[in-house]
Amino acid sequence: MKAWTRWQDWGTVVLGIVIFATPFVFNVPVGDSVAWTAFGAGVLLVLGGLWSEGTDEPNMAVEWIPLIVGVALFVSPWIVGFSEQQNMAWSAWVVGVLAILNSGAELLFPAQMTSPA
């Protein structure tokens, strides 16, 4: 398997960019804890996706990063306390679930997730 060809890892990178951009889209102040939650999760998802994408073979240890970030992102509206901010909360829930599904599928079915090179 060649590096830089797995669509699942690119999906993780895209999810990271999306969650990173949400504070700007919804005009959340940059100093707010909600924005920093999105920035941190976005950076971790992008780095995890790029790290996994840069390897020749899928590294199952690296695939846990987006899964854990996805779970943390999903529960962050309640933990950080922004569940009343509907736009940011829904963004965290949706991106969190998509990150969990994307990474979880790759962890459960690694042979089926590789594309022919």
Side-chain angles (χ1 to χ4, degrees), residues 5 16 19 32 37 53 61 65 68 86 88 99 108 112-114:
T5 59
I19 198 65
D32 198 3
T37 301
E53 189 65 41
I65 295 170
I68 293 167
Q86 293 293 313
M88 289 301 295
L108 291 174
Q112 290 87 358
M113 298 311 243
T114 57

Side-chain angles (χ1 to χ4, degrees), residues 20 23-24 27-39:
F20 188 91
F24 301 110
N27 294 321
V28 175
V30 174
D32 198 3
S33 63
V34 179
W36 283 103
T37 301
F39 297 153

Side-chain angles (χ1 to χ4, degrees), residues 6-9 12 15 52 58-60 63-64 66-68 96-114:
R6 289 184 296 276
W7 65 267
Q8 301 86 359
D9 298 326
T12 300
L15 289 172
S52 180
N59 184 345
M60 293 302 115
E63 293 305 324
W64 283 95
L67 182 74
I68 293 167
V97 166
L98 290 175
I100 292 166
L101 292 175
N102 188 29
S103 183
E106 199 165 2
L107 285 168
L108 291 174
F109 310 108
Q112 290 87 358
M113 298 311 243
T114 57

Side-chain angles (χ1 to χ4, degrees), residues 10 44 47 86-87 109:
W10 286 118
L44 290 175
L47 291 177
Q86 293 293 313
N87 293 334
F109 310 108

